[in-house]
Amino acid sequence: MNARTSSPASGPDQLPPGTWKIVSVAAIGSFMAQLDATIVNVSLPDLVTTLHAPFSLIQWVVSGYLLALALTLPLNGWLVSRLGGRAVYLWCFGAFTLTSGLCALAWSAPSLIVFRLLQGMAGGLLAPMAQMTVARVAGRQMPRVASAMTAPVLLAPLLGPVVAGAILSVASWRWIFLLNVPVGLAAFALAVLFLPDDRHDERPRPLDLVGLGFLAPALVSFLYGMDHVARPYGQATLGASLVLFVLYVRSARRKGDDALIDLRLLRTPAFSVSAIIMFLTNGVSFAGQMLLPVWLIHACGVSPERTGLFMAPLGLGMMCVYPLIGRLSDRFDARDLTGCGVLISLVGTVILVVLAYSGLNVALLSIALLLRGGGGGAVGIPAMSAGYASIARADIPMATTALNIMQRIGGPTLITACATFLGWRLATVAPSHVASEAYAETFGLLALFHGALLLATRFINQSENNRQAGQPST
């Protein structure tokens, strides 16, 4: 990789005063929203018993929350333009804390599901609002502060089951939700104190009701359809979502700057490349996390408890790289940094292909997961920062919404592609060769997606990385 020529000690490289306070407050909101996506999983059997409901209904406590997280995303840009980022963040944080308390007071399965839907709608804006706030205050130093903000967010899904297990060992499932209340109130007070008032930065925009009517159900139905694509109703839902997306694109092109999401942002090459990279990065990450436990448990005979331990190096690799992203971004160009990260992750995936053919080797598996985790951790933040650097500061809320939507649909899309391919290969290969062929070929498909991601990183415009983030490209 080629070292940059710009000096990190120059004026624009200095963080504005109070940046770390703002980053800390923003990280708490993202952490809480992501934690609640997994913390309830462990309590599902207890909910079935105490609420006297079938599992098919109770599972909507999790599924409904995840779908609701996506439902409010299209409103992000409009809400910020009307109220300001600080006000939206405070309202969402307050609503998230309130609905957490309501979840703890739920008297039946339907009431808990309704409260979880409301909680997910509030939580759906916490992560993009935190991302937008940090992008505005950090400028070209986004990689330095984003790495510090993203680390606890990545830990949240891993900590969720652990925290829930500890709570359920001494108390009822209601305390899983009550835990959010004191933490949320404290974080709300900190947000009031430290988040800057940004209403003067906003230009009020009319609400694109037609676009909202197309985009919000399109996003939710796409995620639901991809999750149930093996069934006819899932395929029908997926088809309907694609029709709605097309209708939204036609509507947005007519409305231009007044659209719910201004598609003209995608005309900026650096931003378009960033969106594609975020889609593929999230996709290969979640697809790998889906395939690994399936392979370990069903093909290698590893117990579920040991599977969790075997996958620990994946998170360890991420945690080793994220604190270094700021320094690496100061020294190396985003195109080279992301390309190197994808290449390292690709090597780890190729090792998984070899292991699937030859048999499990714990030492090699640990190396492969360290490489996948560490390499993947070097991709998202530099690519996202390059995308932000290519647009005007006023477009950051709109850009945040677009990037988050691309991230959200990347996971289920590539998960479904790999799961469908694996199911097809399991049904066609001879039983004696299932482990050595079907799983290896599916990991090979995942490696191909890594190849596409590597190709996408080569289109990052190196000149964008030397601009002040938030300034319009010329």
Side-chain angles (χ1 to χ4, degrees):
M1 293 190 293
N2 298 319
R4 288 188 186 176
T5 59
S6 59
S7 172
S10 58
D13 292 325
Q14 301 301 317
L15 287 172
T19 296
W20 289 111
K21 294 179 180 179
I22 296 172
V23 171
S24 299
V25 172
I28 296 174
S30 296
F31 177 82
M32 290 179 65
Q34 296 301 317
L35 182 72
D36 270 55
T38 58
I39 196 171
V40 182
N41 292 349
V42 178
S43 68
L44 292 181
D46 193 31
L47 290 172
V48 170
T49 302
T50 57
L51 296 179
H52 309 290
F55 184 81
S56 59
L57 178 63
I58 289 296
Q59 65 92 19
W60 279 100
V61 172
V62 175
S63 299
Y65 180 85
L66 294 176
L67 289 175
L69 282 176
L71 183 61
T72 51
L73 270 179
L75 284 172
N76 178 66
W78 177 77
L79 285 172
V80 171
S81 74
R82 303 294 297 185
L83 304 175
R86 180 178 184 270
V88 174
Y89 191 81
L90 290 174
W91 276 104
C92 289
F93 221 135
F96 184 85
T97 304
L98 174 62
T99 51
S100 296
L102 292 175
C103 287
L105 300 175
W107 57 90
S108 64
S111 65
L112 179 58
I113 292 171
V114 170
F115 293 147
R116 279 284 282 178
L117 286 170
L118 295 174
Q119 185 190 37
M121 292 174 67
L125 287 179
L126 287 179
M129 289 306 305
Q131 183 177 314
M132 183 203 73
T133 301
V134 171
R136 281 179 160 177
V137 73
R140 66 176 298 176
Q141 296 302 308
M142 178 75 172
R144 282 176 59 188
V145 298
S147 59
M149 184 186 74
T150 308
V153 176
L154 287 175
L155 278 177
L158 301 175
L159 289 176
V162 177
V163 173
I167 291 174
L168 292 174
S169 66
V170 296
S172 75
W173 60 266
R174 298 182 186 277
W175 284 94
I176 291 177
F177 300 106
L178 287 174
L179 179 68
N180 286 335
V181 177
V183 176
L185 291 175
F188 184 88
L190 292 175
V192 171
L193 291 174
F194 297 136
L195 292 187
D197 187 353
D198 58 352
R199 284 174 295 181
H200 59 279
D201 292 337
E202 310 301 343
R203 178 182 66 83
R205 302 167 57 248
L207 177 59
D208 179 12
L209 289 173
V210 174
L212 180 63
F214 288 142
L215 188 56
L219 184 59
V220 172
S221 58
F222 180 84
L223 295 176
Y224 182 85
M226 291 299 290
D227 209 30
H228 299 80
V229 73
R231 301 185 179 184
Y233 66 85
Q235 297 166 10
T237 304
L238 185 60
S241 73
L242 297 178
V243 172
L244 289 171
F245 276 125
V246 171
L247 292 174
Y248 173 76
V249 170
R250 293 182 60 185
S251 172
R253 291 181 64 181
R254 287 196 305 267
K255 295 190 175 184
D257 188 40
D258 289 331
L260 199 64
I261 298 177
D262 189 355
L263 297 182
R264 290 179 297 182
L265 286 174
L266 298 177
R267 296 178 184 175
T268 304
F271 184 79
S272 297
V273 170
S274 178
I276 293 171
I277 291 175
M278 299 309 293
F279 173 89
L280 290 172
T281 299
N282 206 48
V284 297
S285 175
F286 277 85
Q289 291 179 42
M290 179 274 296
L291 286 174
L292 280 166
V294 173
W295 171 61
L296 289 171
I297 293 172
H298 294 289
C300 303
V302 179
S303 67
E305 294 79 11
R306 293 180 67 200
T307 295
L309 293 176
F310 284 177
M311 292 184 64
L314 186 66
L316 181 61
M318 292 182 183
M319 294 305 299
C320 288
V321 170
Y322 265 103
L324 302 176
I325 288 296
R327 294 182 182 179
L328 292 173
S329 297
D330 286 339
R331 184 168 182 177
F332 299 104
D333 190 271
R335 184 168 72 178
D336 294 329
L337 181 56
T338 55
C340 183
V342 176
L343 187 60
I344 292 172
S345 185
L346 174 59
V347 171
T349 306
V350 171
I351 295 176
L352 293 178
V353 176
V354 175
L355 289 176
Y357 267 122
S358 60
L360 178 63
N361 181 301
V362 176
L364 276 179
L365 176 64
S366 298
I367 293 173
L369 296 187
L370 277 171
L371 291 175
R372 274 184 56 86
V379 179
I381 290 175
M384 179 178 64
S385 301
Y388 277 126
S390 67
I391 62 172
R393 177 184 172 88
D395 290 328
I396 286 180
M398 196 81 69
T400 301
T401 303
L403 289 178
N404 274 271
I405 287 176
M406 292 296 288
Q407 280 183 288
R408 296 282 173 90
I409 65 178
T413 301
L414 267 61
I415 284 175
T416 301
C418 290
T420 302
F421 181 83
L422 177 61
W424 171 67
R425 292 302 293 143
L426 289 174
T428 56
V429 300
S432 59
H433 298 290
V434 166
S436 62
E437 291 186 16
Y439 288 96
E441 291 174 4
T442 307
F443 281 125
L445 176 63
L446 185 60
L448 289 178
F449 288 132
H450 276 284
L453 177 57
L454 180 60
L455 179 63
T457 63
R458 307 322 295 163
F459 288 93
I460 294 178
N461 187 353
Q462 289 177 308
S463 64
E464 297 290 349
N465 302 295
N466 296 323
R467 295 192 182 123
Q468 176 79 19
Q471 290 181 344
S473 58
T474 57

